[in-house]
Amino acid sequence: MDNRNPSDGTPGTRNPWRRLLALPNESRAKTVIVAFLVSAICAALVSGATVMLRPIQAANRAAEEQARIAALVRGIPGMAGLLEQSGGTLSTVVIDLASGRAADAVPPAALETALADPGNWTVLEPEQDIAGLGQRPDFVQIYLLRDEVGRVSLALLPLSGQGYGGRIDAILALEADLNTVAGIAVTRHSETPGLGGRIDEAAWQAGFAGTALRDPAGAVRFRVASGPAAGDYEVDGITGATRTGRGVTRMVRFWLGPEGYGPLLDAMARGEF
């Protein structure tokens, strides 16, 4: 049987790839098909590389997170020495604030995505909102330092609240008794330079170490004094920055209360965490 192309007499073929290559380079169909095939091959290669590299990327992210946590701890006045003395291991965990337990369904890598959902935020009633937040996230990432036998020796708790000039963000470090301040680091603020802005000075932050937070009955007693500290629950105020000090007081009290880390601290005190 003669398998020639009846239009030009050349040998025909049933191979679609050869038929495609036989088309003129100016052919629109050939251009579209080749472009599609190249895109599909590139997409497959990229997808394959992503799958193969994912474990390496996850390991790198974990290492970067661990280094960031260690740097954060060492940035808190007095924490570098404590970290070296403990010989423990820093870890990070996402907490469900309502239950005070680990949010197993929200790993640290997924926290940002979870908090992009408005449904994962709780609107605060005015009587609850002493920190001036309006709403607070349902999930928060905290950092724990554990000793060789797994006991928590240091808990790092992110805080946020409203100061005089705007939002204040900080990390509060608690000792193993969960009632004594090991240190604090103010990580962001908009307070007045030279006045409330002094809350980011290491000398002022160092005054938090050793301050008690709750009285024996469990009531949060911490406060920034209007002047020099006068008791176990107070830290020195900053001259001319009464409203900033009040904002820090309310921020700490809110986050140690029932709408903040209260359930977590209670669970840890019972040895359930």
Side-chain angles (χ1 to χ4, degrees):
M1 178 179 178
D2 190 358
N3 194 29
R4 295 177 179 274
N5 190 318
S7 62
D8 57 10
T10 58
T13 179
R14 295 178 180 178
N15 188 319
W17 178 246
R18 290 185 178 180
R19 292 173 61 186
L20 174 64
L21 294 179
L23 291 174
N25 291 336
E26 296 79 8
S27 169
R28 179 176 299 178
K30 182 175 183 180
T31 301
V32 172
I33 294 173
V34 170
F36 172 78
L37 291 175
V38 170
S39 298
I41 293 172
C42 290
L45 290 174
V46 170
S47 298
T50 299
V51 172
M52 294 177 61
L53 294 175
R54 187 171 295 149
I56 298 175
Q57 292 171 338
N60 288 340
R61 284 196 298 269
E64 290 172 358
E65 178 69 9
Q66 191 70 14
R68 189 179 71 82
I69 295 171
L72 179 65
V73 173
R74 289 183 171 85
I76 299 174
M79 289 300 98
L82 182 61
L83 182 61
E84 296 299 332
Q85 293 172 13
S86 69
T89 302
L90 275 170
S91 62
T92 179
V93 62
V94 175
I95 297 298
D96 182 332
L97 289 176
S99 66
R101 302 299 178 88
D104 295 331
V106 186
L111 179 60
E112 183 176 355
T113 300
L115 295 184
D117 181 356
N120 288 329
W121 290 75
T122 296
V123 176
L124 300 170
E125 297 297 331
E127 62 273 14
Q128 301 171 321
D129 192 19
I130 61 174
L133 296 171
Q135 59 180 354
R136 65 113 171 101
D138 293 342
F139 307 108
V140 176
Q141 184 175 5
I142 68 168
Y143 311 96
L144 301 174
L145 181 68
R146 297 182 183 273
D147 60 21
E148 291 81 355
V149 296
R151 294 172 300 193
V152 175
S153 57
L154 191 70
L156 303 179
L157 309 177
L159 312 178
S160 59
Q162 191 71 18
Y164 172 67
R167 177 174 168 138
I168 298 173
D169 291 334
I171 302 288
L172 182 69
L174 302 184
E175 294 184 3
D177 65 1
L178 304 176
N179 193 51
T180 303
V181 178
I184 193 171
V186 175
T187 56
R188 186 178 70 175
H189 71 85
S190 302
E191 302 305 281
T192 306
L195 295 173
R198 293 177 56 200
I199 60 174
D200 62 11
E201 294 180 359
W204 184 73
Q205 295 178 26
F208 277 71
T211 303
L213 298 171
R214 301 181 182 185
D215 63 22
V220 180
R221 296 278 303 280
F222 170 86
R223 69 184 291 264
V224 177
S226 56
D232 294 338
Y233 306 103
E234 295 186 351
V235 297
D236 291 342
I238 297 174
T239 302
T242 301
R243 292 178 65 179
T244 297
R246 190 180 300 128
V248 173
T249 296
R250 292 174 175 174
M251 175 177 70
V252 172
R253 288 188 175 188
F254 171 82
W255 284 102
L256 294 179
E259 300 301 323
Y261 297 114
L264 168 67
L265 296 177
D266 291 342
M268 293 177 70
R270 295 191 298 267
E272 299 175 359
F273 193 86

